[in-house]
Structure formats: structure tokens, C-alpha cells
Amino acid sequence: MRGTFESTLPWWIAGPLIGLVIVALLALANKRFGVVGGVTDLVHGSAEGRGLRSWRTLLVLGMVLGGAAYALLAGAPDAGSAYSWLDTHLSTSGEVGLLFGAGLLIGVGARTAGGCTSGHGLTRLSTRVTGQHRLDDDDHGQRNHDHTAARGGDLR
Amino acid sequence: MKLRLSALALGLFTGFVLAWARLTDPNTFRLMLSLDSPHIYLLMGAAVGVAFVGARLVRGRRAVLTGERIDWRASRPTCAHLIGSVLFGIGWGISDACPGPTAAQLGGGRTLALAVAAGILVGVRLQPALACAVAKRATGGEKRAASVVAAADVL
């Protein structure tokens, strides 16, 4: 059993499973799969709610728990202080600083673009690239008040 | 409530799959970004393929939980998408991390994922103020600034 989980799940199983999660969210509630939305609701809140009252934050929380569940079944291959090729080049504090900085860029970048790999790379590629275009989309009402202010009269 | 429970369950499933496919190992992303392994490209391609077909099969039907009509509209890329993706890509290239796998890494006990996660939280928190300041300085005008501040919706 443990051996099953220790071997890497092949892309042709993992990929379609993730694809089905995207379809399931659409089929259940007409919602879009994405991680940065959950982070946004955690720190800002949106029309979907704030913190644990938002389904998007719970989606991300679920992913944390999913990682923990896998660790329990597979003997925690990710546990520990090892990270990446950076380990051999930097001190621990240097690596923490660099990774925090990289996280900042990821956070600012993903929030600016309106999504990360899951939201844009998967969900948006699957749905909103083709079809009728529009310039001003706010179907989820996810702008927060900062944006409302920044956009001035631009809002509908 | 049902939506939140469903989201929690779907997230749990996703995190488990990400970890099992070893996307929680930064080295997997390293090999992808250096074009040494097709694993993630094939995985994402398969995910998009299934979601592309599946999304069209459910489009127009009623959502199971809400009864809402399942639909979406396409939108054109904006300046915000371009700027955001460049910043994101630099962070991605340095850390070999991306928000979903980072979440699963936290559960899997990878301690340095805490540094990445903290950066992402602070980045998302500060982005509106940051983008507003940058846009105002760069353009001096509200109207163009609006398109730089952020994409209209966050996924």
C-alpha cells in the first residue's frame, strides 16, 4: 500500500484528475478553480466571503490537508528542511529570505494577473480563452474595496 | 455550507494528487523550467484537455448545488496579465514554487514552504496598495492606472 503512494503518480492519471476537479467545481456551483482567489479571501475577503466563510479559502485549506494526508500514507517524503537546488548554495537564513522574496513576487504577480498556474494555466485555458470576448469582466464580483477606489468610476 | 464542504473536499483531493504526482518537490518544477522533464507539461496538458471537454459538457446545465446556470465568458488579456505574469514567473523561477503545490507542501511538512507561503500572503495583501502607487506614479492618471492595478477578477 505504502509502495503505491511512494511511486510518483503518472501525469496521465494526475492530470485528468485535476481536470475533473475543475469540472466538478463548475458542475456543483458554477465556480472557477484557483488558488490565489483563496489567498485573496484569506487576507482581503471578496464577494465570496472572507477567511473560512469563503469556499475559496477552504479549497486552499483542503489542499494543505491533502498534502498532509499524502504525507501520512507515503511516509512524508516532503517533510524536513530540504527544499531545492538552492540548499547547497545558501545558508538557511539566506534561503528563507530568498524564498520569502520569491513568494512576494508570486503573490504580487498572481494578484495583479488575477490568478496563478491553477486559475489561469488550468481553469482559464479550459474555459475563458475561446468564445465571446468582453473588456470589462466582473462576473464574480471579486474586486475588493481597494480596487473599487483605485478604479474610480470605471466600475459598473 | 455545502459549497464550502465541497471545496474543502475537492481541495483535499487536489492536494493529495499534487503531492502524489510529486509537484510538492521543487525539483520537479526545476526540471520542468529547465526543459529537462515533460512531466508537468504533460500533466497540465492532460488536465486542460479533460477540463476543456468537461466544461463544455456541463455548460448550460444547472449547477447541482446552486441551481445557477453554468456559464462563463471569455476575456482578453490585459496589461495587468502581462505585468503580473512576469513578476510571477520570476518568483516561480527562483523558488520553483507555485501557490497550489506550496499549500500541499505545508501539509507535507516542508518547512521552507513556510517562507514561500508567507511571501505569497504578504504579496497578495500588499498588491492593491502597491499597484495603485506604481500605476499612479507611472501614468499620473486614474483611467490608465485602473487597467494596471489588477485583473478584474481573481481565480
Side-chain angles (χ1 to χ4, degrees), chain B residues 128-149:
Chain B
L130 204 66
C132 212
V134 170
K136 270 184 186 158
R137 179 167 292 200
T139 63
E142 276 286 299
K143 202 161 185 210
R144 259 214 60 207
S147 68
V148 190
V149 169

Side-chain angles (χ1 to χ4, degrees), chain B residues 3-141:
Chain B
L3 172 60
R4 285 184 288 160
L5 280 177
S6 307
L8 189 68
L10 286 172
L12 201 146
F13 180 79
T14 307
F16 192 92
V17 169
L18 289 177
W20 196 356
R22 305 311 303 132
L23 266 64
T24 48
D25 183 350
N27 196 42
T28 310
F29 281 95
R30 188 77 199 152
L31 294 172
M32 168 216 177
L33 293 168
S34 61
L35 304 178
D36 285 319
S37 162
H39 180 67
I40 298 180
Y41 295 110
L42 291 167
L43 192 155
M44 285 191 67
V48 169
V50 166
F52 188 91
V53 174
R56 274 149 191 82
L57 288 176
V58 298
R59 190 176 199 178
R61 293 174 195 269
R62 296 276 166 198
V64 177
L65 295 180
T66 58
E68 197 182 325
R69 198 175 178 80
I70 298 165
D71 198 18
W72 62 84
R73 282 177 292 170
S75 55
R76 289 185 200 285
T78 62
C79 192
H81 292 109
L82 190 72
I83 295 169
S85 57
V86 169
L87 295 175
F88 183 93
I90 297 169
W92 203 16
I94 294 170
S95 64
D96 297 311
C98 123
T102 295
Q105 282 173 14
L106 290 178
R110 194 180 291 285
T111 48
L112 279 170
L114 284 169
V116 182
I120 294 174
L121 282 173
V122 174
V124 170
R125 180 73 185 83
L126 296 182
Q127 190 275 344
L130 204 66
C132 212
V134 170
K136 270 184 186 158
R137 179 167 292 200
T139 63

Side-chain angles (χ1 to χ4, degrees), chain A residues 31-101:
Chain A
K31 297 295 186 190
R32 281 77 176 141
F33 178 79
V35 175
V36 172
V39 179
T40 302
D41 289 353
L42 187 63
V43 299
H44 285 293
S46 73
E48 304 285 356
R50 180 162 190 186
L52 297 180
R53 284 194 298 277
S54 160
W55 70 270
R56 306 199 299 177
T57 301
L58 285 168
L59 183 82
V60 179
L61 180 66
M63 292 173 78
V64 176
L65 297 177
Y70 175 80
L72 285 176
L73 289 172
D78 293 311
S81 60
Y83 190 79
S84 71
W85 63 284
L86 294 170
D87 296 350
T88 54
H89 297 280
L90 293 168
S91 65
T92 304
S93 55
E95 197 171 5
V96 167
L98 187 67
L99 290 176
F100 179 80

